[in-house]
């Protein structure tokens, strides 16, 4: 973190506080705070990075969506479910409208939403989010990839327990 703080200071002096390169350093800093579970610092740096991205990037740009999705995940960790849900929905809307291909961020967002809905005791929404993550992972790496199997193992119990009746055929079809 010390090197990132120094890099941030240099970028701010060189370009000003609202430059995209400052936003990128803030994004990296937030990842380090997340790794250390320092949620308030992670939230603050990522919010600042998102503000910069919103100023310089068009709505729906992948880098904006990345920051929004990660911020939603952090908000979920600090029990700000309502704000997290709004960000998750915004990211979902942008991705669908742009027909964006699934990627690691899409998968993580879907899993975070599954956790959010589980916390809110909304099993049908949680199951749909888990399934979205599983489908995205299958598209990204294939149905027989070890990551897909691992994720399926992690999600199988909540999916089977909470899945709306009659939907087991869909789960089987996804991984056939």
């Amino acid at each position: 973190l010390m090197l990132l703080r120094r890099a941030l200071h240099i970028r701010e002096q060189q370009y000003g506080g609202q430059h995209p390169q400052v936003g990128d350093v803030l994004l990296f800093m937030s990842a380090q705070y997340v790794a250390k579970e320092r949620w308030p610092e992670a939230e603050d740096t990522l919010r600042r990075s998102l503000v910069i991205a919103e100023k310089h990037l068009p709505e729906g740009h992948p880098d904006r969506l990345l920051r929004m999705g990660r911020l939603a995940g952090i908000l979920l960790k600090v029990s700000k479910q309502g704000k997290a849900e709004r960000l998750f929905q915004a990211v979902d809307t942008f991705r669908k409208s742009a027909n964006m291909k699934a990627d690691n961020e899409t998968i993580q967002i879907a899993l975070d939403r599954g956790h959010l809905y589980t916390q809110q005791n909304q099993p049908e929404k949680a199951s749909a989010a888990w399934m979205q993550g599983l489908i995205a992972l299958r598209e990204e790496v294939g149905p027989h990839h070890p990551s897909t199997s691992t994720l399926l193992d992690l999600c199988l119990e909540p999916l089977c327990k909470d899945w709306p009746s009659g939907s087991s055929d869909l789960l089987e079809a996804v991984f056939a």
Side-chain angles (χ1 to χ4, degrees), residues 60-109:
H61 188 281
D63 288 345
R64 273 179 78 168
L65 297 179
L66 169 82
R67 286 162 172 83
M68 291 169 68
R70 288 188 181 175
L71 181 57
I74 291 169
L75 292 172
L76 185 60
K77 295 283 188 189
V78 296
S79 300
K80 296 180 181 177
Q81 285 89 359
K83 291 179 181 181
E85 173 62 14
R86 286 190 292 280
L87 279 174
F88 283 140
Q89 287 177 350
V91 171
D92 240 10
T93 300
F94 290 137
R95 285 193 171 282
K96 286 177 185 173
S97 69
N99 290 325
M100 295 177 80
K101 185 180 178 291
D103 59 11
N104 289 338
E105 291 298 321
T106 308
I107 296 163
Q108 188 60 54
I109 288 168

